[in-house]
Amino acid sequence: MAVLQKLTSEEAISLEKKYGSNTYKPLPVVLSRGEGVFVWDVDGKKYYDFLSAYSAVNQGHCHPKIINAMVEQAQTITLTSRAFYNDKLGLYEKYTCEYFGFDKLLPMNSGAEGVEAAIKVCRKWAYDVKGIAENQAKIIVCNNNFHGRTTTIVSFSSDSTSNTNFGPYADAFINIEYDNLEQLESALKNNPNVAGFLVEPIQGEAGVYVPSEGYLSKAKALCEAYNVLFIADEIQTGIARTGELLAVNHENVKPDILILGKALSGGAYPISAVLANNDIMGVMIPGTHGSTFGGNPLAAVIAIAALEVVKEENLAENSKVLGELFRSELNKYIETSSIITKVRGKGLLNAVVVNDTEDSKTAWNMCLKLRDNGLIAKPTHGNIIRFAPPLVMNREQLLDCVDIITRTFKEFEN
Ligand SMILES: *Cc1c(COP(=O)(O)O)cnc(C)c1O
């Protein structure tokens, strides 16, 4: 039989269980097709996608413009390596630098690689420019952060499942509370070797924690006062997800280093990037960083198309308008609800908090019911369900989804 035979849900799930490293606990639904805001399972059942592959598919599944660019380039040349120039990378770098307002771009693949690259740029800047003594540079990070899965990154995670038994840990990070300016200031004041502050403008994985208004702009001002780089991890919050092109734009903050990933490809390909101005990115010289696949021509044309779609289809504005509608509709429901206590978020990055203990199964069971009712979402830490549909959704679809969600929650009211 052919390797790629047609599978039932049960077969697909059992194959992954038997042969895959068991690092995930997926919701039991086996997807085989996607288009726009919808996905279909192997039996042809249709769902609204309310995760968007953790905000990688902001432009909607299989966006024709992105896929056409991808297919055309795939038939031309896919990979040259950086041993040679290619005729697409420079165009991508120029377009993306102008799009986000930076001088230079460092191309990588996964989000975690983007964060790693940003850490390297920050440290090199610390030694070459700021004048910190060799190997002494520290980076401030926040509790409950999520920046990826590499050994360095998990070493400053406060999620014990992600780092227990993966030590020894990199001892170059200072953890402080998120949304706490006093702790930031005292960490800056007490540690002259701080080179950077790495932060998510909204903590997505942790459960969509939106910091107090003014937090980001005041944190940026503190970083400036202490000559420390403000590094924004916008891998999840960026590219129109929160109702602005970048979540830092809500507070008119310009990061010193910007990290992008996920929706930079619209979900078609792993593409991440680090952006900074010449005074910072200039520290990187030949040999200091690299990636076999980073900056390949296939990625370059996909990213350009993905970013064009965001502008052409006004996805930031749509995300802002629909996000407000979503929260106001859910708030109407929450007023009468005993099972949902809160909805929070910005744009179309939202979460609801379930009124049950951290370790209860309620959020998981709700997601199973949502699935049965035609909408897929996933609990994030504890009893929180994240809702992040593709940004190409329209108003009528959003109201349809609100109806599915509130109807499902009602089944859990007691
Ligand atoms: C998803 C994510 C990452 C890691 O991206 P990968 O592509 O999974 O390596 C890093 N930071 C944030 C904020 C993310 O949401």
Side-chain angles (χ1 to χ4, degrees), residues 102 118 121-122 229-233 255-259 274-276 280:
F102 288 91
V121 172
C122 177
L229 303 183
F230 183 97
I231 308 168
D233 180 348
D256 299 301
I257 299 180
L258 171 67
I259 312 165
V274 179
L275 290 109
I280 294 163

Side-chain angles (χ1 to χ4, degrees), residues 54 110-113 115 146-148 200 205 233 235-236 262:
Y54 302 101
S110 69
E113 284 176 310
V115 175
F146 183 83
H147 297 290
E200 298 158 87
E205 283 313 295
D233 180 348
I235 291 169
Q236 187 161 160
K262 294 196 167 117

Side-chain angles (χ1 to χ4, degrees), residues 183-255:
Q183 286 196 7
L184 176 61
E185 178 149 33
S186 79
L188 289 166
K189 196 180 292 170
N190 297 326
N191 299 281
N193 291 333
V194 172
F197 173 48
L198 171 62
V199 67
E200 298 158 87
I202 292 173
Q203 286 190 327
E205 283 313 295
V208 189
Y209 285 101
V210 182
S212 317
E213 221 183 301
Y215 172 65
L216 298 170
S217 58
K218 286 177 190 143
K220 173 70 170 81
L222 282 172
C223 287
E224 270 169 32
Y226 287 87
N227 192 23
V228 158
L229 303 183
F230 183 97
I231 308 168
D233 180 348
E234 292 248 19
I235 291 169
Q236 187 161 160
T237 52
I239 316 192
R241 172 52 59 188
T242 71
E244 292 279 351
L245 186 57
L246 297 174
V248 288
N249 294 359
H250 289 288
E251 297 195 11
N252 294 316
V253 168
K254 171 91 191 274

Side-chain angles (χ1 to χ4, degrees), residues 234-382:
E234 292 248 19
I235 291 169
Q236 187 161 160
T237 52
I239 316 192
R241 172 52 59 188
T242 71
E244 292 279 351
L245 186 57
L246 297 174
V248 288
N249 294 359
H250 289 288
E251 297 195 11
N252 294 316
V253 168
K254 171 91 191 274
D256 299 301
I257 299 180
L258 171 67
I259 312 165
L260 299 173
K262 294 196 167 117
L264 187 52
S265 73
Y269 199 76
I271 306 176
S272 63
V274 179
L275 290 109
N277 282 342
N278 285 327
D279 54 334
I280 294 163
M281 195 63 91
V283 301
M284 302 305 274
I285 56 170
T288 53
H289 200 55
S291 162
T292 302
F293 279 84
N296 71 71
L298 185 56
V301 302
I302 291 170
I304 292 171
L307 291 173
E308 282 179 336
V309 166
V310 170
K311 285 244 161 98
E312 287 163 4
E313 302 188 17
N314 284 319
L315 296 188
E317 179 64 18
N318 196 47
S319 170
K320 181 184 233 161
V321 171
L322 291 191
E324 276 159 18
L325 179 65
F326 182 77
R327 287 185 298 279
S328 84
E329 289 295 312
L330 275 184
N331 273 323
K332 282 185 215 160
Y333 171 72
I334 288 168
E335 273 174 34
T336 65
S337 171
S338 60
I339 195 71
I340 303 293
T341 56
K342 193 183 194 137
V343 59
R344 63 174 174 241
K346 269 208 162 97
L348 282 174
L349 181 59
N350 293 289
V352 295
V353 181
V354 177
N355 185 18
D356 206 334
T357 54
E358 274 270 312
D359 55 352
S360 87
K361 284 260 174 208
T362 311
W364 176 264
N365 291 334
M366 284 174 161
C367 288
L368 291 177
K369 276 282 177 203
L370 284 167
R371 175 203 62 183
D372 296 343
N373 293 335
L375 185 149
I376 51 172
K378 186 105 197 281
T380 173
H381 285 84

